[in-house]
Amino acid sequence: QVQLVESGGGLVQAGGSLRLSCAASGNFFSVNLMGWYRQAPGKQRELVATVTRGGSTNYADSVKGRFTISRDNAKNTVYLQMNSLKADDTGVYYCYAQFVSSTVVSGIRRTYDYWGQGTQVTVSS
């Protein structure tokens, strides 16, 4: 079993800040890519930001300069610091992680994608 537990969502006024956290737990060898995706009502889920185990980051153009993604490899936790929030940032935010299996099959450790349950972020204008 692998689990991603998110926290930090809530209601905030435009221009405010929120910090999301996502902790991975369970049986796995390692965690490679981690990130955050979001889905607004009536829209497709979109990438917000990702971070590799080595710390390389990638952001959606809409959040560059406002959001910062980071991770603590020792804690298997990824964070998303969201500043200067806009009403358009409203949506359900999902934590994503790519896990490497603790088991070896035919000499290969397979990778698996896992998603958190989602946490609501609402920005009022």
Side-chain angles (χ1 to χ4, degrees):
Q1 286 290 110
V2 176
Q3 186 171 235
L4 297 174
V5 180
E6 299 145 320
S7 62
L11 174 65
V12 66
Q13 291 185 321
S17 299
L18 284 173
R19 180 178 171 85
L20 306 182
S21 299
C22 175
S25 63
N27 185 21
F28 51 84
F29 181 73
S30 64
V31 183
N32 291 338
L33 190 71
M34 300 188 79
W36 293 91
Y37 291 71
R38 69 186 181 189
Q39 186 168 22
K43 295 185 178 181
Q44 297 186 66
R45 185 177 299 186
E46 65 176 351
L47 180 144
V48 177
T50 60
V51 57
T52 67
R53 184 173 180 83
S56 297
T57 59
N58 182 51
Y59 297 92
D61 288 340
S62 60
V63 306
K64 284 183 178 178
R66 300 187 297 119
F67 292 9
T68 302
I69 189 170
S70 61
R71 65 189 287 172
D72 186 332
N73 291 331
K75 297 180 179 179
N76 291 316
T77 300
V78 63
Y79 308 93
L80 185 68
Q81 178 66 47
M82 304 186 292
N83 298 325
S84 301
L85 283 162
K86 307 174 181 179
D88 288 346
D89 295 319
T90 294
V92 179
Y93 283 67
Y94 297 91
C95 177
Y96 163 83
Q98 182 188 71
F99 294 91
V100 178
S101 175
S102 61
T103 61
V104 179
V105 180
S106 298
I108 300 173
R109 295 184 185 273
R110 304 186 71 175
T111 60
Y112 300 90
D113 297 331
Y114 274 81
W115 295 88
Q117 78 283 358
T119 184
Q120 178 69 41
V121 171
T122 302
V123 183
S124 63
S125 59

